[in-house]
Amino acid sequence: MSSLSRDDVAHLAGLARIDLSDAELDKMVGELSVILESVAKVQQAGAEDAPPMSHPMPLTNVTRPDEVRPSLGADAALAMAPASELQRFSVPRILAED
Amino acid sequence: MSTATTEPVLSYDEALEKFDPVMGLEVHVELNTKTKMFCGCATEFGAEPNTQVCPVCLGLPGALPVVNEKAVESAIRIGLALNCEIAEWCRFARKNYFYPDMPKNFQTSQYDEPIAFNGWLDVEIPAASGDGTEVFRVEIERAHMEEDTGKSLHVGGSTGRIHGAEYSLVDYNRAGIPLIEIVTKPLRGAGERAPEVAKAYVATLRDLLRALHVSDVRMEQGSLRCDANLSLRAKAADGQAQDDVPLGTRTETKNVNSLRSVERAVRYEICRQAAILDGGDKVTQETRHWHEDTGVTTSGREKSDAEDYRYFPEPDLVPVAPARETVDELRTTLPEPPAQRRKRLQADWGYSDLEMRDVVNAGAVELIELSVEAGATPAGARKWWTGELARRANAEGKGVDEFGVTPEHVAELDRTVKDGRLNDSMARQVLDGVIAGEGSPVEVADARGLELVQDDDALEAAVDKVIEANPDVAEKVRSGKVQAAGALIGQVMKEMKGQADAGKARQIILSRLGVG
Ligand SMILES: [Zn+2]
């Protein structure tokens, strides 16, 4: 499962709406395969006795103060969307009220 | 989509004769933090669309959320005020769903580890005997932290209503605003008082949240929203305990966004479900939408297809483990409980039981408190909030706080009357102007040229003229029938085109006639 084809990466890039040049595609095929192989090593660990955990670090209460930080701005935010109108993201119709 | 389709309903009395209602209330409250739950974006209401968004709340790849400490603090204070236990350790969870109101395809919420749980809130409703109040204890299941969703605008389609919409436009300013969801345990035993209890619960909760200063609690702006779950079960047979009768299928009514609607929506669902069950059919488990204008609920999506949210612990956030000292410290910041507070305020303000009940029913306790703080007299504040404003609120099916009139406005209005600048009828005109958005009371009075004539010479001249024109009445007053002066005062006011101080006019009349 860890071998990734160039078509797979092109397909994923399409789903994620990321434009990749041919050179970038080639590079990503190699890099993503290495990542997948590394992650696959986890499957070799004997996990029978280990309790499930949701976070790799034994940290709690990581918070930030309630202070406003600059936002992206509507133009920058909407530039990433395939379609927009009235300064809002345009999406396929949805059926319930907010 | 047509909302005109009316479903059969049973009369309320008949429904209650045959069935026992069980309610569950879910209240979502938007916190008034300056920033969002997991990012530093501002939370201003009414900002231009998509101006308060960033990589975190837009769910862009690689963005990392960090919890707002103030939001956690508010959540704990809410939990404590609701007499809940506070979790020693709890996590956030991803609630997965595919719906564009959350750009991440999940909502960060809490699942089986809420920050607060097992509490209660006592609510007061007028006693069935009509004398005093009775207390109904609402058990709280949990209060958990989550984030609000974006707002959608539906475009196209023949009717403009959502089902005809061809596409939707989304504004993510609201996505990520801290939200506390407060869920009750099933409320049983309220019987025919169920709709009233529901309303009183939301009102009490609203007052409590307001007193905690954790939210604007403005139902009309959506910062406090209520979903009402309701089911009916058969009335217990003779000798059977009502709680031995199994619960019926419930519906969840959304979009109930005023206190009055909470009561109406619960009442409507009781009558609608009763008609279904009475006809031998089954209630469908579903989400229903409340329509304020027509006073009915209509079917939304069926609940079953949305139930599988594949919750799992949020890997991007670490657990929240409030230290017991922190919790104890926050406990000391709690306001006094609402019922106790009402008793204290009633004594401070010198209101009768009846006056206080009107104040509570109008949802004006906090508003009057703020008005008095802003300089209004208790009597003046009560007069405006439970008189003129409550009258308009009833007529328009709104809350007294939904006219854009603030406690500061009421204090200013009260002051202008006390100072003798305006009389009552002028003050009501000024209030019209404030509601119409013309500015503060003084600004409205200035702009509309409303002012009592302070010119004593003019008033005295008017009095003399009226006495001369009414020698019979004047004689009566002179001979001691002081109440006859009323007729003269009326004419003086007319002479002054309403722009005089009636009290002063009376004084001058009486002194002119030798009885003052
Ligand atoms: Zn943000």
Side-chain angles (χ1 to χ4, degrees):
Chain A
M1 275 304 288
S2 62
S3 70
L4 209 60
S5 74
R6 196 171 186 280
D7 283 349
D8 290 335
V9 177
H11 178 66
L12 286 174
L15 287 179
R17 300 188 185 282
I18 300 171
D19 280 328
L20 293 179
S21 67
D22 283 349
E24 283 169 326
L25 262 181
D26 290 334
K27 191 171 168 236
M28 289 305 284
V29 173
E31 288 185 356
L32 276 176
S33 295
V34 170
I35 291 171
L36 286 181
E37 280 158 26
S38 311
V39 173
K41 282 185 186 143
V42 172
Q43 292 168 348
Q44 297 162 14
E48 291 79 18
D49 301 326
M53 56 195 291
S54 59
H55 202 273
M57 271 168 299
L59 291 172
T60 55
N61 299 329
V62 176
T63 58
R64 61 177 171 81
D66 185 26
E67 285 161 14
V68 177
R69 300 181 59 171
S71 291
L72 266 185
D75 289 345
L78 292 164
M80 294 178 278
S84 66
E85 197 179 308
L86 300 174
Q87 209 170 304
R88 291 166 172 88
F89 293 86
S90 180
V91 298
R93 70 172 190 172
I94 49 182
L95 290 176
E97 300 185 36
D98 57 46
Chain B
M1 182 179 75
S2 163
T3 56
T5 1
T6 46
E7 295 183 46
V9 291
L10 226 55
S11 80
Y12 189 67
D13 289 346
E14 201 180 345
L16 265 299
E17 237 163 67
K18 296 179 171 165
F19 302 101
D20 177 51
V22 177
M23 288 188 295
L25 297 166
E26 288 172 21
V27 167
H28 286 91
V29 55
E30 258 183 17
L31 297 181
N32 59 1
T33 50
K34 290 194 206 74
T35 67
K36 292 187 179 181
M37 188 76 213
F38 304 111
C39 63
C41 288
T43 54
E44 291 304 322
F45 181 81
E48 288 296 307
N50 293 304
T51 51
Q52 299 177 163
V53 294
C54 76
V56 173
C57 55
L58 286 175
L60 300 186
L64 272 180
V66 185
V67 173
N68 182 335
E69 75 181 348
K70 180 82 197 252
V72 175
E73 207 178 279
S74 296
I76 295 173
R77 292 179 70 236
I78 291 171
L80 290 172
L82 291 171
N83 307 291
C84 287
E85 296 170 48
I86 304 301
E88 304 217 354
W89 190 90
C90 63
R91 289 178 295 188
F92 287 95
R94 290 190 183 183
K95 178 182 179 181
N96 297 279
Y97 65 97
F98 293 91
Y99 204 68
D101 64 358
M102 269 322 245
K104 305 186 288 190
N105 274 351
F106 62 84
Q107 179 188 31
T108 307
S109 180
Q110 291 193 289
Y111 183 45
D112 49 0
E113 298 167 6
I115 187 146
F117 50 94
N118 276 345
W120 50 266
L121 180 65
D122 281 343
V123 307
E124 283 178 33
I125 52 173
S129 62
D131 196 23
T133 55
E134 58 187 74
V135 173
F136 194 96
R137 176 158 293 190
V138 177
E139 307 273 349
I140 306 292
E141 169 90 32
R142 56 189 280 156
H144 71 247
M145 299 179 278
E146 58 180 36
E147 57 180 335
D148 212 344
T149 59
K151 265 188 173 165
S152 348
L153 194 71
H154 308 285
V155 184
S158 50
T159 64
R161 292 206 72 98
I162 47 169
H163 281 276
E166 276 155 13
Y167 57 104
S168 303
L169 297 175
V170 196
D171 166 15
Y172 290 120
N173 280 349
R174 199 179 66 179
I177 290 186
L179 214 55
I180 305 296
E181 180 176 335
I182 300 162
V183 183
T184 66
K185 290 184 179 158
L187 269 77
R188 307 153 200 261
E192 60 179 15
R193 314 295 301 274
E196 272 176 88
V197 168
K199 178 187 173 191
Y201 167 70
V202 179
T204 308
L205 187 55
R206 184 192 63 176
D207 288 350
L208 183 65
L209 294 165
R210 197 181 265 150
L212 282 164
H213 298 296
V214 291
S215 169
D216 302 335
V217 288
R218 299 189 68 96
M219 292 190 88
E220 79 284 6
Q221 290 185 354
S223 56
L224 184 75
R225 313 196 278 273
C226 179
D227 299 342
N229 293 310
L230 186 105
S231 67
L232 295 181
R233 54 181 172 176
K235 270 284 176 71
D238 279 347
Q240 184 189 22
Q242 184 62 63
D243 276 341
D244 289 342
V245 181
L247 299 180
T249 305
R250 68 187 171 88
T251 59
E252 181 181 4
T253 302
K254 296 207 174 264
N255 203 20
V256 195
N257 292 335
S258 73
L259 288 179
R260 194 163 154 265
S261 298
V262 173
E263 185 170 5
R264 288 171 74 209
V266 168
R267 202 180 164 93
Y268 176 82
E269 268 302 286
I270 289 175
C271 298
R272 187 188 71 85
Q273 292 187 16
I276 294 172
L277 296 171
D278 198 42
D281 289 328
K282 283 184 175 144
V283 172
T284 311
Q285 182 171 341
E286 63 182 354
T287 299
R288 305 206 40 104
H289 290 295
W290 168 249
H291 301 276
E292 182 85 51
D293 45 353
T294 48
V296 303
T297 66
T298 57
S299 175
R301 66 189 140 84
E302 287 193 18
K303 188 88 179 159
S304 53
D305 65 358
E307 205 73 318
D308 184 14
Y309 291 122
R310 296 181 297 117
Y311 280 99
F312 64 83
E314 166 58 78
D316 285 343
L317 292 166
V318 303
V320 175
R324 294 301 97 176
E325 307 82 73
T326 313
V327 173
D328 289 341
E329 227 169 86
L330 290 173
R331 202 188 296 276
T332 65
T333 68
L334 296 186
E336 74 188 305
Q340 190 180 320
R341 178 163 158 269
R342 280 205 294 276
K343 287 203 182 67
R344 175 177 59 79
L345 291 173
Q346 183 182 349
D348 285 357
W349 295 339
Y351 293 175
S352 70
D353 287 352
L354 199 67
E355 287 169 346
M356 194 64 191
R357 202 176 78 190
D358 285 348
V359 168
V360 172
N361 286 346
V365 176
E366 184 86 23
L367 294 165
I368 290 179
E369 189 180 26
L370 293 171
S371 304
V372 171
E373 268 171 32
T377 59
R382 186 180 61 78
K383 193 182 77 182
W384 290 111
W385 288 112
T386 65
E388 191 63 19
L389 284 161
R391 190 184 60 72
R392 288 165 192 255
N394 280 333
E396 295 179 37
K398 287 183 169 178
V400 285
D401 57 347
E402 291 175 50
F403 293 98
V405 177
T406 65
E408 289 73 24
H409 288 151
V410 166
E412 197 173 303
L413 198 58
D414 186 47
R415 208 155 40 233
T416 53
V417 175
K418 288 281 159 325
D419 292 351
R421 170 166 181 185
L422 302 179
N423 59 23
D424 277 2
S425 94
M426 290 168 152
R428 273 195 296 277
Q429 291 177 52
V430 166
L431 189 67
D432 283 334
V434 175
I435 291 171
E438 292 168 23
S440 74
V442 168
E443 285 163 359
V444 174
D446 287 347
R448 293 192 176 191
L450 289 167
E451 183 147 23
L452 287 175
V453 174
Q454 297 292 358
D455 180 352
D456 287 356
D457 291 348
L459 189 56
E460 282 169 19
V463 169
D464 291 341
K465 189 172 163 195
V466 169
I467 288 177
E468 200 179 313
N470 298 275
D472 301 351
V473 186
E475 194 44 47
K476 273 191 199 165
V477 178
R478 239 181 234 116
S479 66
K481 288 196 176 118
V482 177
Q483 66 271 35
L488 299 178
I489 297 169
Q491 290 201 41
V492 170
M493 292 303 284
K494 204 165 155 195
E495 197 69 32
M496 300 295 292
K497 298 189 171 62
Q499 308 217 328
D501 180 341
K504 207 168 200 178
R506 180 187 157 86
Q507 241 172 39
I508 298 174
I509 290 170
L510 293 182
S511 83
R512 280 283 200 280
L513 297 176
V515 286

